[in-house]
Amino acid sequence: MGSIRERLADALAGAVRAIGVDSELPDLELGRAKATERGEYASSAGMKLARVLKQAPQQIASRLAETIVVPEGAATVEAVGGYINFRLTPQWLQRLVTQVIAAGPSYGSDDIGHGERLQVEFASINPTGPMHIGHGRGAILGDSICRVLEFTGHDVQREYYVNSDNTQTRRFGASVYARLHGKEPPEGGYVGDYVTEIAEMARHDLPGIEQLLEEEAEPKLRMYAMQKIVEQIKATVARLNIRYDEWFWENMVWESGLGQQALNRLREAGYLKEKDGALWFGDPADVEEEDRVVIRSNGQPTYFASDLGYLLSRFEVRGFKRVIEVWASDHHGYVPRMKAAAAALGIDPAKLVIILHQMVNLKEGAARSAPTKMSKRAGRFVMLDELIDRVGSDPVRYFYLLRSPDTTIEFDLELAVTQSNENPVYYAQYAHARLANVEATAAEKHPRLPEQADVSLLVESWELDVARQLAFWPEVVEDAVRLLEPHRIPYYVQDLATAVHRFYHAGNEKGEHRVVVDDPNLTRARLELCRAARHTLKTALDLMGVSAPDRM
RNA sequence: GCCCCGCUAGCUCAGUGGAUAGAGCAUCUGCCUUCUAAGCAGAGGGUCGGGGGUUCGAAUCCCUCGCGGGGCACCA
């Protein structure tokens, strides 16, 4: 059924046809009105059509306002200048409350995906160290994107790609080997304390490992250490309410033969060539993009070669219609290469959607003016677990989700801890808890309330304001899923919570405006509004992976 | 040098080419005997980085310059 915004837009388009516009319609820009005096929605259709119709904007707007048939009598229409303003009617808002209750947790969940089978791969960090606060951003963003997609009728598989076969993991293995023998990690190795800890665990879990030569011991230590790290990553993401369906190990690409299969296909299609003893990928038709090594001169495949087989695994073996990858922006240069690789393999590059988010830099030391890049290798980072320990999962998720992926975050741990009490997550959760509490109070004072709510009793401005916010929820979901931008949700939650707090507060000002009053019918009507608002708050918080407590 | 992202209130940030640019925090002023004050009401605070351009209309699109972040490997 879609949002009321969408339905008004359809009605407007119909009216434009009815007044005789046959050509392709320009964007009529129906969107939220900025000032409430103008209603909830406005379109600049008068200006947009002035040229086509060769009439004054005001005249066109007036004709459209007279012609338009608004669905369900949802809004009154007014032409002002060349604008057309839509004001949602109290009657429609009242009925909406009932509809929200009837829809339950699915309110706002339009079936946009029609069961589209897709994969979201996110936060696939190298298994060479624990997650730090930078990784938390991609993990939380990816998880919320999954939640929004699932909510709107997509069949989502959540995947973590474990990069297990590469130079970095070999360096990691060598670092563990060095620590096992009480030595410093080699040049370019990993120096964090956790490396020593893993070496000590290995000493206990892998009897005799110390006696082996490095070339024998390193692969064993590497695999052992990676498994330890993956276990740790699993535990960390679980604390943040993040779920994965599959942990896909890179070595499977080669063990299943998909890596070779991808290379063979590219060779036959003319995308591979030998140079300097290595094997290179390049599109003969594209001189802009540089050639890339797939097999090194020492015979080892690069991560790029693994990615080729990995593409086949996902699009052909497992049959995903679309794959969404969430990457930190330091990988952005890799996007054209992946798209080119997909195209060369015969996969539509448009089906490979890559979402980039900007970095999280660490502000450290007394001089907070100098952000420092986090580095696992150098052991310079704030672990995600520490952040969760100190402020809790809900504020962490809310903190990250509030920011558009395009904004660089400069993270200050001390500031994050001191400000955690002011985290807006509590404002939203408090609104939920207040509603839950008032519903419980109503049940105590009125054990036998009418079954049906007479929503026409909801006439106060603060009551209709809550209903108005409920009307906006479906379009927030539409935008979040269309743009794959979950940060729209916490901003909506803030608005809905504000309406709820004002509604609640009206009862503090005057006893007769409380939810629980002597009149059972009025109580019942207001209770309906409470439930509708609470359910919508809970649904929105769920999409953020944030809890909705009944008590605070 | 080339590519990507950002620059909006004191701070952190929203903002589908439309009307008077918003929120949170911070500052200041009021409001709890009551369904939860983790709340509500109000005030101050802006050359939307600079300059051009397109448009009836630009924070939003284009060009250009500046500043900050990130890339440009036989690392991932």
Side-chain angles (χ1 to χ4, degrees):
Chain A
M1 116 170 149
S3 60
I4 186 61
R5 179 184 65 184
E6 194 176 302
R7 282 177 281 163
L8 290 175
D10 287 347
L12 181 61
V16 172
R17 292 297 182 209
I19 66 167
V21 178
D22 298 324
S23 54
E24 195 177 330
L25 295 188
D27 183 358
L28 302 174
E29 297 194 341
L30 187 139
R32 288 273 290 282
K34 275 188 182 151
T36 48
E37 309 89 70
R38 305 195 195 100
E40 284 77 25
Y41 296 94
S43 163
S44 47
M47 277 78 79
K48 293 290 178 193
L49 297 169
R51 190 160 297 162
V52 188
L53 290 173
K54 297 187 169 60
Q55 279 179 6
Q58 165 73 62
Q59 201 179 345
I60 297 168
S62 299
R63 283 174 66 198
L64 288 173
E66 285 164 24
T67 311
I68 192 169
V69 180
V70 174
E72 302 167 23
T76 54
V77 185
E78 192 186 9
V80 182
Y83 296 97
I84 301 163
N85 296 335
F86 298 85
R87 195 182 310 274
L88 296 174
T89 63
Q91 295 74 24
W92 186 83
L93 288 170
Q94 289 158 352
R95 285 199 304 275
L96 177 69
V97 174
T98 308
Q99 288 170 15
V100 172
I101 299 278
S106 72
Y107 174 60
S109 70
D110 218 26
D111 183 9
I112 295 167
H114 304 296
E116 182 192 15
R117 182 169 155 72
L118 56 83
Q119 180 190 68
V120 181
E121 186 234 307
F122 60 101
S124 301
I125 62 169
N126 266 335
T128 54
M131 298 183 89
H132 59 56
I133 54 171
H135 304 131
R137 185 174 198 178
I140 290 164
L141 175 63
D143 180 72
S144 282
I145 285 174
C146 290
R147 287 168 187 262
V148 171
L149 286 166
E150 286 158 358
F151 187 60
T152 52
H154 300 80
D155 179 13
V156 181
Q157 195 249 19
R158 301 146 163 264
E159 180 148 302
Y160 190 111
Y161 181 58
V162 186
N163 282 98
S164 55
D165 275 16
N166 55 60
T167 310
Q168 294 302 338
T169 57
R170 274 185 281 276
R171 280 180 187 161
F172 182 44
S175 302
V176 176
Y177 178 84
R179 290 301 191 194
L180 183 70
H181 292 281
K183 289 187 270 190
E184 287 298 310
E187 185 71 28
Y190 290 77
V191 300
D193 291 341
Y194 67 94
V195 181
T196 313
E197 287 165 22
I198 288 174
E200 290 312 313
M201 285 191 279
R203 194 192 307 282
H204 178 266
D205 291 345
L206 303 175
I209 190 74
E210 294 156 86
Q211 278 71 52
L212 297 180
L213 293 172
E214 176 161 9
E215 61 183 16
E216 256 184 290
E218 187 275 322
K220 289 190 168 67
L221 285 169
R222 191 202 315 163
M223 186 50 75
Y224 175 85
M226 285 194 297
Q227 277 163 354
K228 284 287 170 200
I229 295 290
V230 168
E231 274 174 36
Q232 201 177 335
I233 291 170
K234 284 183 178 178
T236 303
V237 297
R239 295 183 71 192
L240 286 170
N241 229 348
I242 293 168
R243 186 169 58 74
Y244 280 100
D245 297 310
E246 180 81 33
W247 297 72
F248 189 97
W249 286 66
E250 181 184 9
N251 45 299
M252 288 308 298
V253 168
W254 299 101
E255 288 168 27
S256 65
L258 283 171
Q260 268 310 325
Q261 200 178 314
L263 291 178
N264 291 342
R265 191 185 297 184
L266 292 180
R267 181 176 288 112
E268 284 164 23
Y271 287 98
L272 298 184
K273 62 186 153 202
E274 300 235 9
K275 192 171 69 185
D276 304 331
L279 191 63
W280 300 68
F281 168 86
D283 185 345
D286 186 355
V287 288
E288 296 277 309
E289 182 73 7
E290 283 177 45
D291 293 348
R292 302 291 168 179
V293 170
V294 284
I295 306 289
R296 300 185 180 92
S297 49
N298 66 8
Q300 281 176 349
T302 61
Y303 70 100
F304 181 47
S306 297
D307 279 342
L308 298 172
Y310 188 39
L311 281 172
L312 291 189
S313 164
R314 299 189 283 180
F315 283 100
E316 298 188 0
V317 178
R318 291 186 277 169
F320 295 113
K321 302 294 177 224
R322 193 158 49 126
V323 169
I324 297 170
E325 310 209 359
V326 179
W327 293 355
S329 64
D330 55 352
H331 286 60
H332 92 268
Y334 193 47
V335 173
R337 212 185 313 173
M338 279 295 279
K339 295 267 190 182
L345 286 166
I347 296 162
D348 179 2
K351 302 292 184 193
L352 180 66
V353 179
I354 295 166
I355 295 176
L356 295 165
H357 63 81
Q358 296 299 309
M359 309 299 286
V360 179
N361 290 331
L362 188 59
K363 285 195 179 185
E364 67 177 356
R368 281 182 172 159
S369 53
T372 313
K373 196 187 170 194
M374 279 184 286
S375 163
K376 252 188 298 185
R377 271 210 298 273
R380 186 179 62 237
F381 49 81
V382 172
M383 291 201 294
L384 192 49
D385 275 317
E386 185 185 352
L387 179 63
I388 304 167
D389 287 343
R390 295 185 67 176
V391 308
S393 169
D394 286 344
V396 170
R397 288 199 64 129
Y398 214 93
F399 172 81
Y400 280 116
L401 285 173
L402 265 173
R403 280 157 180 80
S404 137
D406 289 338
T407 308
T408 305
I409 296 178
E410 276 165 24
F411 196 91
D412 183 327
L413 182 63
E414 296 313 315
L415 204 61
V417 171
T418 49
Q419 288 187 348
S420 68
N421 287 338
E422 276 96 49
N423 191 301
V425 71
Y426 298 117
Y427 183 80
Q429 290 180 323
Y430 187 52
H432 184 273
R434 277 179 138 182
L435 293 173
N437 186 65
V438 100
E439 288 170 47
T441 306
E444 274 174 38
K445 296 219 174 135
H446 292 284
R448 297 190 61 81
L449 280 170
E451 193 139 320
Q452 295 287 323
D454 178 4
V455 289
S456 70
L457 298 174
L458 299 170
V459 295
E460 304 290 353
S461 64
W462 50 86
E463 293 166 346
L464 294 172
D465 282 346
V466 173
R468 184 172 291 110
Q469 286 299 324
L470 297 178
F472 299 148
W473 173 235
E475 73 199 39
V476 172
V477 174
E478 278 170 13
D479 290 345
V481 72
R482 179 173 52 87
L483 303 166
L484 297 173
E485 288 184 351
H487 74 273
R488 289 159 188 281
I489 295 169
Y491 283 97
Y492 169 77
V493 164
Q494 176 75 28
D495 290 343
L496 177 56
T498 296
V500 166
H501 283 307
R502 283 180 184 156
F503 161 68
Y504 186 94
H505 187 77
N508 287 352
E509 296 278 314
K510 249 183 155 180
E512 66 193 74
H513 293 144
R514 293 184 172 215
V515 173
V516 185
V517 288
D518 291 339
D519 178 354
N521 287 310
L522 190 53
T523 301
R524 181 65 186 83
R526 288 175 179 164
L527 211 46
E528 192 84 339
L529 184 61
C530 286
R531 286 184 185 144
R534 186 167 59 81
H535 292 167
T536 304
L537 268 177
K538 178 164 173 24
T539 302
L541 290 170
D542 279 348
L543 293 185
M544 285 187 279
V546 169
S547 65
D550 286 343
R551 296 206 159 274
M552 282 177 75

